[in-house]
Amino acid sequence: MKIIDFKQKGNVVRFYLGADDLENWWGDDWNDCPYECNAEEVYDQFVTGYKDIAFDFDDIVYEPCEGEFNSPYTKEDMVKRKIPCICVLKKEHQTDDGWGYSGFKDIVGNANVVKYYFGDKMEP
């Protein structure tokens, strides 16, 4: 299976999974930005499973809209793998006890960040 959508609540992320051979998937307004105000969840017909991951309490878990008033991203950008849907910076790789990170743009380029992209393989 592969990641086709996500929903974040704090440090818990639900990844929506689709079949490995799925080539096209979408939801309402996936071509509109900012995605966080417009895009709905992926249509049910594409979902074949879920994976919930609870990251450690002190990890920084950001989606692309974190730190933005209106992000410049769409869910279509995520489908095209232009940006990851989730970035995780583990505590051991943080500086300043995590206080120096105010948004997605602050961590996305960090070599130690774990990035999750639409299309990445994941087991339910």
Side-chain angles (χ1 to χ4, degrees):
M1 292 190 186
K2 65 183 174 185
I3 298 171
I4 60 170
D5 202 4
F6 72 101
K7 183 177 249 182
Q8 178 188 2
K9 287 186 179 180
N11 275 21
V12 178
V13 179
R14 169 165 287 174
F15 291 99
Y16 296 78
L17 306 176
D20 286 334
D21 62 352
L22 183 64
E23 292 187 24
N24 296 305
W25 65 91
W26 61 88
D28 281 344
D29 298 322
W30 274 31
N31 60 337
D32 293 342
C33 78
Y35 79 90
E36 65 272 16
C37 297
N38 293 297
E40 298 292 329
E41 292 176 4
V42 67
Y43 292 136
D44 289 341
Q45 68 200 49
F46 301 116
V47 179
T48 55
Y50 302 92
K51 172 88 174 214
D52 293 342
I53 299 178
F55 295 96
D56 289 343
F57 182 82
D58 291 322
D59 291 347
I60 294 174
V61 181
Y62 286 157
E63 64 179 277
C65 68
E66 188 70 39
E68 300 278 347
F69 179 64
N70 283 317
S71 79
Y73 309 113
T74 67
K75 287 256 181 125
E76 195 172 69
D77 292 332
M78 296 177 207
V79 170
K80 293 178 180 177
R81 298 176 60 93
K82 291 180 179 179
I83 56 165
C85 61
I86 293 289
C87 285
V88 180
L89 184 59
K90 298 280 187 188
K91 174 145 179 73
E92 60 265 21
H93 299 296
Q94 298 172 23
T95 59
D96 303 326
D97 293 325
W99 291 107
Y101 309 103
S102 61
F104 179 81
K105 289 180 180 177
D106 293 334
I107 68 168
V108 70
N110 188 308
N112 295 306
V113 165
V114 178
K115 299 175 186 175
Y116 294 86
Y117 285 87
F118 282 14
D120 285 356
K121 303 285 187 211
M122 183 176 279
E123 291 301 314

